[in-house]
Amino acid sequence: MKTPEKLMAGADIFFECLRREKVEYIFGYPGGAVLKLYEHLYDVDFLKHILVRHEQGAVHAAEGYAKASGKPGVVLVTSGPGATNTVTGIADAYMDSVPIVVFTGQVPSHLIGNDAFQEADIIGITRPITKHNFLVRDIKELASTIRKAFYIACTGRPGPVVVDLPKDVINSYCEFVYPEDVEIRGYKPNYKGHVNQIKKAAEVIAAAKKPLLYVGGGVIMSGGFRELSLFAHENKLPVTMTLQGLGAFPGTDELSLGMLGMHGTYWANQAVNNCDVLVSLGARFDDRVTGKVETFATNAYKIHVDIDPTCIDKNVVVDLPIVGDVKHILAEMASEISKSPDTGEWWAQINSWKDECPLVYEDKDGRLRTEYIIEKLSEKTKGEAVIVTDVGQHQMWTAQYFKYNYPRTNLTSGGLGTMGFSVPAAIGASFAVKDKQIISISGDGGFQMNIQELITASAYSVPVIFIIINNSFLGMVRQWQELFHAEKFSFTDLSKSNPDFVKVGEAFGIESYSTDNPKEVESLLDKALAVKNKPVLLEFKVVKEDMVFPMVPSGGSISEMMVKRLNPKRMT
Amino acid sequence: MKHTISVLVENHFGAFDRVATMFSGKGFNIKSISVGETEISEVSRMTIVTDGDDQIIDQVVKQLNRLVDTIKVVDLSETYHVERELALISVGMHKGSMEELKNICDIFRGNIVDITIKSMMIEITGPPDKIDAAVNVLAPFGIKEMARTGIVALRRGEQVKIQKKENVT
């Protein structure tokens, strides 16, 4: 029998584990089932708790923190509604492979299953949207479970892990044993790629006439920025990136073709269509990238490097799979490659596609357009800011016109496409990154989906510029309605129901400005960029009817790409 | 094509649910599934019968492997293996049909496990096609109720070695 002095309270074990995991911030919201943890948190000085205004905001903030820093984001919420409010954020993190650990309170063990007050089976609910989840049933398992949760979240293909903490477990005592090493027999991520496969890949690339690197978020997660840059430059390889891959390779680099896929550049998509060797690096052949799978890069020998074996042959059957860490494999491929492929003609062709159909927008009529704002933002920040976009047209325009030059500067909800991501994620990122400007960009629709977090920004004086691209429409849905749904603009017009965003900002204690004049864009951006140590809000009232082009219709082939509006129609 | 997949999972709370959730979430078919203990107390064996083309089965195996609670996944269809299933079949009976039912039961090496004036319950064990055959023969007598366990299967010959204990030190 242990003497009571050797025993430690569950809440203390919890925070001691977080200290050892080097957690600096928790994004959370208190409630009944986690009162004991908040009681102990009151005296904790080695980490800072950020009080959000909605649990979804906490998860997106943790995602923003994790994406910007590469460190796991941590969330603490109560049981029942506190836990269910995290679901969208968790699903978002799962789709975009973001390492977060979400601690949810749970009703006392003896009440589980009794429909107790604020009870929800969050383990059951989150099972398909977490990398793994745990219900801690015994205080003796608390420390080892937290250790495993962080290990699983951060290793291999990263992802969200939920740890459900029944109230009685946290309220009990046990001896503290912190496991230094974790070994889970069913979980052994493979980092080193197969040597012969890597050699084969190097041979195929060396012999290619029209090679193309197709880069996804995996390169950023693995920290392979430098390796990719070296490999591409030494071999003069064109690089196209997915939405999540933007930032893995400098957007201003002459080898960059920008983004591919549904709203990718014409030349990137043509390059995919015509390449003879396609090297996928930490990307997953998502349907927004491939369009119609049967016509995707049909002539190319496909090499697929990914740490998650399930990604291989899932959407597109490849010729040469390499399972492992892409940073490591890029370095290996670079050392294995005997000669650089001769890409002179290939580059001439790519450049002719660039000339044939450049990214352009109407800029002569004196009306304000998103593309112009993003271009100016890109120029003024030299692509060095952390840009946190929401979901929709502004997100695609930002992907097209902002030249990301560094990894972890492009934070966006890609896989799940979660409106309401940007505002809380930018707040989370601001705690991770101190040396770069954090800029949140949302549409007028998405901005209102987590608008409550503006007070979090204000309360913690986070240095974030919140930009609202206000076209008084759910723009991307409107675009599909115009193109594919008989121009029935069903419930997408917000022009009569949007709030006054400047007044909103001011009500939350944030300095706010608005304009619809292109001539004022630069001065407003300058003004906002000069603001230090507090948030600022800019509303840009842009043209309502603009559409994002180029566009490959959903499920269509790249050859069906629309490069401009077929039937220009002015909306009023 | 039908595949029999043997999955060793941690005998944890929720491990079965993780596997079932994965199948439904990914839209894979489960034709039968059975779970039980193994020679190691903290490990369970699930035997799953599924179908699909090569690409789907490849994904099924990979997705199963991806689950943290799975220790080993083997597509038995690619190996020599033994498959067995057990069925309890309750058939209608009258005075004249008792002998005939007993004969059928003997032919399938089944056991009569319950009898009433109007019915007989027969237990049959064997590969699934044997049970199908028995069901076909018994159908004209009127099958009142039937329960099948789903397939359990093991690879012939060499053993699949399980690493002893989960180490968190």
Side-chain angles (χ1 to χ4, degrees):
Chain A
M1 191 69 186
K2 302 285 174 201
T3 56
E5 295 86 75
K6 281 191 173 175
L7 300 183
M8 211 163 143
D12 287 332
I13 292 175
F14 177 82
F15 287 110
E16 180 58 19
C17 287
L18 296 196
R19 189 181 70 79
R20 297 196 186 207
E21 295 294 339
K22 301 187 175 62
V23 174
E24 293 172 299
Y25 294 95
I26 302 182
F27 301 92
Y29 204 96
V34 287
L35 275 172
K36 198 72 183 172
L37 288 172
Y38 273 84
E39 178 193 322
H40 286 243
L41 173 62
Y42 197 79
D43 298 316
V44 166
D45 55 5
F46 51 83
L47 57 76
K48 200 171 169 197
H49 176 272
I50 309 300
L51 178 68
V52 295
R53 288 300 186 276
H54 186 288
E55 289 88 350
Q56 187 190 350
V59 184
H60 291 322
E63 283 188 274
Y65 177 85
K67 283 188 176 195
S69 67
K71 292 184 275 190
V74 180
V75 175
L76 175 60
V77 298
T78 192
S79 64
T84 55
N85 276 346
T86 64
V87 167
T88 302
I90 293 169
D92 190 87
Y94 186 62
M95 291 286 267
D96 286 343
S97 311
V98 188
I100 58 169
V101 180
V102 179
F103 294 99
T104 53
Q106 185 52 279
V107 300
S109 304
H110 72 277
L111 287 178
I112 290 180
N114 285 22
D115 297 338
F117 177 64
Q118 293 198 326
E119 182 189 356
D121 173 17
I122 198 64
I123 291 302
I125 291 168
T126 59
R127 198 161 280 146
I129 52 166
T130 49
K131 188 170 171 188
H132 198 62
N133 59 19
F134 295 97
L135 169 64
V136 182
R137 282 142 66 95
D138 187 329
I139 180 77
K140 291 194 204 79
E141 294 167 5
L142 179 61
S144 64
T145 303
I146 295 174
R147 183 81 187 87
K148 281 191 225 170
F150 278 91
Y151 176 72
I152 291 170
C154 299
T155 50
R157 178 180 179 180
V161 177
V162 169
V163 182
D164 202 20
L165 304 166
K167 197 169 182 174
D168 56 313
V169 171
I170 292 303
N171 285 355
S172 51
Y173 294 79
C174 93
E175 194 183 354
F176 178 67
V177 183
Y178 181 75
E180 289 300 332
D181 297 312
V182 185
E183 208 197 312
I184 304 166
R185 60 183 158 184
Y187 178 71
K188 300 253 175 356
N190 181 28
Y191 287 91
K192 287 191 99 179
H194 194 283
V195 180
N196 290 342
Q197 304 277 82
I198 294 172
K199 274 189 185 150
K200 179 88 201 289
E203 282 168 24
V204 170
I205 296 167
K209 296 270 180 293
K210 298 185 282 184
L212 177 66
L213 303 184
Y214 148 46
V215 170
V219 172
I220 296 170
M221 286 169 214
S222 76
F225 180 74
R226 207 177 135 265
E227 285 74 9
L228 173 63
S229 179
L230 283 173
F231 186 64
H233 277 281
E234 276 173 19
N235 300 294
K236 287 273 175 286
L237 301 171
V239 180
T240 181
M241 288 158 277
T242 68
L243 179 62
Q244 294 295 359
L246 294 169
F249 190 77
T252 49
D253 195 295
E254 56 180 6
L255 300 180
S256 168
L257 310 188
M259 185 171 74
L260 81 164
M262 181 175 275
H263 292 293
T265 60
Y266 176 77
W267 55 95
N269 282 332
Q270 286 296 349
V272 171
N273 238 4
N274 292 281
C275 65
D276 64 354
V277 174
L278 182 72
V279 188
S280 167
L281 301 165
R284 58 190 175 87
F285 293 88
D286 173 73
D287 57 274
R288 286 296 191 264
V289 161
T290 61
K292 193 177 182 182
V293 171
E294 292 77 22
T295 57
F296 178 77
T298 36
N299 300 319
Y301 183 93
K302 299 181 191 75
I303 300 170
H304 190 177
V305 181
D306 206 297
I307 199 156
D308 179 0
T310 66
C311 282
I312 301 212
D313 289 349
K314 183 174 66 183
N315 301 327
V316 170
V317 178
V318 297
D319 301 284
L320 181 62
I322 307 176
V323 174
D325 180 61
V326 65
K327 171 182 172 155
H328 172 83
I329 291 164
L330 270 167
E332 293 281 301
M333 281 200 300
S335 65
E336 288 291 342
I337 199 160
S338 54
K339 68 169 185 69
S340 296
D342 179 7
T343 54
E345 271 181 48
W346 179 224
W347 271 108
Q349 169 138 51
I350 290 171
N351 288 327
S352 75
W353 286 322
K354 265 189 197 178
D355 298 337
E356 188 183 328
C357 195
L359 279 178
V360 283
Y361 60 93
E362 167 62 53
D363 56 355
K364 303 282 186 288
D365 62 1
R367 301 167 77 211
L368 183 55
R369 286 191 158 73
T370 313
E371 297 95 316
Y372 174 75
I373 301 163
I374 304 299
E375 256 182 6
K376 287 295 154 207
L377 196 60
S378 190
E379 279 169 32
K380 287 194 182 294
T381 59
K382 300 181 189 71
E384 287 179 9
V386 175
I387 305 294
V388 190
T389 53
D390 213 70
V391 172
Q393 287 185 316
H394 75 277
Q395 179 191 33
M396 291 299 112
W397 277 317
T398 308
Q400 290 175 339
Y401 288 89
F402 194 89
K403 305 288 177 221
Y404 297 96
N405 278 333
Y406 299 95
R408 302 198 177 282
T409 58
N410 158 39
L411 279 52
T412 192
S413 168
L416 196 67
T418 310
M419 285 172 70
F421 172 84
S422 174
V423 170
I427 294 169
S430 74
F431 292 103
V433 178
K434 305 290 184 193
D435 59 343
K436 290 192 180 83
Q437 176 68 50
I438 314 284
I439 300 171
S440 155
I441 309 176
S442 308
D444 47 312
F447 187 76
Q448 294 177 68
M449 280 208 185
N450 271 316
I451 200 165
Q452 77 285 348
E453 299 308 332
L454 286 181
I455 199 66
T456 310
S458 192
Y460 291 93
S461 298
V462 298
V464 175
I465 301 175
F466 293 102
I467 293 178
I468 306 167
I469 303 292
N470 181 2
N471 62 354
S472 303
F473 258 107
L474 301 178
M476 189 57 96
V477 181
R478 201 210 73 90
Q479 175 165 345
W480 284 53
Q481 288 173 332
E482 176 169 341
L483 292 171
F484 313 115
H485 295 276
E487 302 184 16
K488 306 270 186 225
F489 299 116
S490 187
F491 298 96
T492 46
D493 186 351
L494 305 181
S495 53
K496 292 189 177 63
S497 56
N498 264 338
D500 180 328
F501 287 109
V502 170
K503 280 189 183 161
V504 165
E506 284 167 353
F508 283 106
I510 298 173
E511 201 177 315
S512 305
Y513 305 94
S514 176
T515 186
D516 59 358
N517 184 354
K519 293 200 179 75
E520 285 177 8
V521 168
E522 291 203 57
S523 62
L524 270 190
L525 288 177
D526 287 337
K527 197 183 247 181
L529 287 165
V531 172
K532 299 289 172 214
N533 302 320
K534 61 175 183 174
V536 56
L537 184 150
L538 304 180
E539 179 198 22
F540 292 109
K541 292 179 177 165
V542 299
V543 173
K544 285 182 182 185
E545 72 276 12
D546 263 12
M547 296 208 266
V548 183
F549 290 110
M551 179 181 193
V552 180
S554 181
S557 307
I558 287 168
S559 56
E560 293 166 50
M561 179 178 249
M562 295 184 268
V563 290
K564 64 178 192 318
R565 192 188 221 106
L566 303 170
N567 175 23
K569 178 176 282 191
R570 189 118 180 200
M571 293 283 311
T572 47
Chain B
M1 195 191 146
K2 192 197 95 170
H3 284 253
T4 305
I5 296 171
S6 182
V7 188
L8 291 170
V9 296
E10 296 290 350
N11 194 359
H12 280 165
F13 165 84
F16 174 82
D17 201 14
R18 281 179 212 286
V19 172
T21 303
M22 187 282 286
F23 268 82
S24 62
K26 301 283 173 191
F28 300 141
N29 250 328
I30 299 181
K31 292 180 97 76
S32 85
I33 188 163
S34 69
V35 198
E37 291 178 3
T38 63
E39 70 281 9
I40 298 170
S41 63
E42 69 272 13
V43 175
S44 304
R45 183 186 301 276
M46 300 176 72
T47 309
I48 303 166
V49 180
T50 182
D51 62 1
D53 60 24
D54 288 352
Q55 196 185 347
I56 289 172
I57 298 301
D58 178 57
Q59 270 297 310
V60 168
V61 171
K62 283 175 178 169
Q63 294 285 356
L64 282 167
N65 269 313
R66 189 195 198 197
L67 299 173
V68 172
D69 277 343
T70 55
I71 301 161
K72 184 98 191 168
V73 181
V74 181
D75 182 355
L76 291 174
S77 311
E78 294 169 351
T79 66
Y80 290 111
H81 67 283
V82 180
E83 289 187 1
R84 287 294 177 270
E85 191 178 4
L86 183 145
L88 293 173
I89 306 165
S90 178
V91 275
M93 187 182 75
H94 54 81
K95 274 182 195 159
S97 66
M98 189 172 175
E99 274 307 307
E100 211 176 334
L101 283 171
K102 273 175 75 179
N103 281 340
I104 293 170
C105 183
D106 285 345
I107 290 166
F108 285 99
R109 288 176 212 171
N111 295 314
I112 298 166
V113 289
D114 188 37
I115 191 158
T116 69
I117 297 166
K118 289 182 179 167
S119 74
M120 180 186 276
M121 194 196 293
I122 298 170
E123 170 203 319
I124 294 173
T125 313
D129 55 348
K130 174 182 161 186
I131 294 177
D132 292 343
V135 170
N136 281 337
V137 177
L138 292 170
F141 294 87
I143 293 177
K144 291 170 172 289
E145 273 190 305
M146 175 167 76
R148 292 174 72 151
T149 57
I151 290 169
V152 292
L154 272 185
R155 182 145 74 168
R156 288 185 189 273
E158 62 176 293
Q159 302 291 307
V160 177
K161 214 173 146 197
I162 309 169
Q163 181 195 326
K164 241 331 189 191
K165 178 70 191 158
E166 184 168 344
N167 297 318
V168 180
T169 48

